Amino acid sequence: MIVRQDPRVTDPGSPFPPDSALPALAALSERSREIFRQIVESYLTTGEPVGSRNLARILPMSLSPASIRNVMSDLEHSGLIFAPHTSAGRLPTEQGLRFFVDAMLELGDVGREEQERIEAQMRAAASRHTFDSALTEASSLLSGVSRGAGVVLTTKTNVHLKHIEFVRLDPARALVVLVSDDGSVENRLVDLPPGLPAGALQEATNYLNARLHGRTLETLRAEIETGRRAMKREIDALTERLVDAGLATSVGPSEARQLIVRGQANLLDDLRAAEDLERIRLLFNDLETQKDVIDLLARAEGGEGVRIFIGSENKLFSLSGSSLIAAPFRDGSQKIVGVVGVIGPTRLNYARIVPMVDYTARVVSKLLDGGR
């Protein structure tokens, strides 16, 4: 499912027309829609403005350049296209791109051969190394097909665990040691319940390790919650509180976010003018501001399907005029735990990239669910 981000809802400061202007945009005649489509598709392919004479040659209907110019004037008055220079052809505005994406975009398909290649590469990365390697592979794959930067946002709760251990520090505190499949170690402090028996730390350690099997923290916590009655039969109440404390500390809301970006160099390809280079420089600055990128990607976690953000709809891209196409992925309990996507110029190939991002997110979800 594709969800087009609507700035009229999320961004009160958007330059887009109010809802009252939407019927006028939707009521374009067939001739106007076809001319507008050709202007947008030419821009997405070449990045160059297109004029009435060139349009007269490529339109599927017979129209004189003068008639086309009249339609172009109407489209410009509606805010869908503009002339970058005097006597130049026309380019779509950001408003025009949004209208095209929402109302006219015809999505392509991810072919069977390409699906198999994506899944094979990501499975191989996950099996040879770690799940983080699969996420890195996902960002690299998306950067390759988009000529943009592939991005992944995730949390440490997606790390597959190898071992958990509780180590007593003093009568009131213990250390939770988390060892992941990639060998990384993380330590967290927990408060011990009063009156905890001497063997409870080892009992909690054994109980959790018997259930790990490469699961993520989030999946482990969900399964233990589901099996709460069985846990009460296997361990006493104080040890149960210790297990809960260890898991809650490990997967709390303050968990750090991880941002993976690959393919920035792709953004330097096919530059056509000095202003393009300046735009890319600004985009590089945006990508270096990780907090803002993470905040934007987190917005794509807010619902189902692919989200599309175009240009100044989001303050992060207000200067560079870039776009983001992103889709959430889920863990084994169907909880959204991250986002994959593409950041690039507004003339991204939306018809190809949107289904690629959607499919890649589904492959990541499948890997998180144990490959099912």
Side-chain angles (χ1 to χ4, degrees), residues 93-298:
T93 61
E94 287 183 2
Q95 173 184 326
L97 281 175
R98 168 55 59 190
F99 175 62
F100 177 81
V101 166
D102 285 351
M104 303 176 68
L105 180 63
E106 297 177 359
L107 296 175
D109 293 320
V110 182
R112 173 62 58 186
E113 193 172 303
E114 198 159 33
Q115 289 182 17
E116 292 173 353
R117 178 180 64 83
I118 292 170
E119 189 158 352
Q121 287 182 225
M122 290 179 61
R123 285 186 182 279
S127 62
R128 287 196 307 268
H129 304 289
T130 66
F131 183 70
D132 277 359
S133 299
L135 294 179
T136 301
E137 183 69 20
S139 62
S140 297
L141 283 167
L142 289 174
S143 73
V145 300
S146 66
R147 294 187 305 174
V151 292
V152 174
L153 176 67
T154 185
T155 68
K156 290 183 180 179
T157 60
N158 293 329
V159 174
H160 285 67
L161 294 175
K162 183 178 181 180
H163 185 73
I164 294 179
E165 187 162 355
F166 291 84
V167 180
R168 188 186 293 270
L169 298 178
D170 56 46
R173 295 181 306 162
L175 197 66
V176 185
V177 182
L178 306 164
V179 183
S180 63
D181 279 348
D182 62 3
S184 62
V185 178
E186 187 173 350
N187 300 318
R188 298 294 180 88
L189 283 173
V190 296
D191 295 326
L192 298 178
L196 189 73
L201 292 175
Q202 188 60 51
E203 187 178 6
T205 295
N206 294 342
Y207 180 84
L208 289 172
N209 283 317
R211 287 154 180 79
L212 277 184
H213 304 300
R215 287 175 170 82
T216 66
L217 283 166
E218 188 67 26
T219 302
L220 180 61
R221 184 172 68 167
E223 291 184 2
I224 286 178
E225 184 60 37
T226 300
R228 180 69 62 181
R229 288 186 179 180
M231 182 168 68
K232 289 180 183 296
R233 291 195 298 269
E234 295 183 42
I235 58 178
D236 62 34
L238 287 177
T239 305
E240 179 184 347
R241 286 174 59 188
L242 179 60
V243 168
D244 288 342
L247 291 175
T249 301
S250 303
V251 294
S254 62
E255 200 68 36
R257 304 286 258 172
Q258 178 185 10
L259 178 67
I260 302 171
V261 182
R262 290 292 182 273
Q264 294 99 314
N266 292 340
L267 300 168
L268 294 171
D269 294 341
D270 200 26
L271 297 182
R272 297 181 177 274
E275 56 264 30
D276 280 350
L277 185 59
E278 175 63 11
R279 178 182 57 76
I280 294 302
R281 185 188 69 78
L282 292 169
L283 177 54
F284 277 4
N285 289 341
D286 291 340
L287 292 176
E288 288 174 5
T289 311
Q290 289 204 4
K291 181 181 183 301
D292 290 340
V293 178
I294 287 172
D295 289 346
L296 176 58
L297 286 169

Side-chain angles (χ1 to χ4, degrees), residues 75-97:
L75 292 172
E76 192 167 358
H77 181 72
S78 297
L80 297 178
I81 64 173
F82 74 104
H85 307 290
T86 305
S87 301
R90 300 298 188 270
L91 292 172
T93 61
E94 287 183 2
Q95 173 184 326
L97 281 175

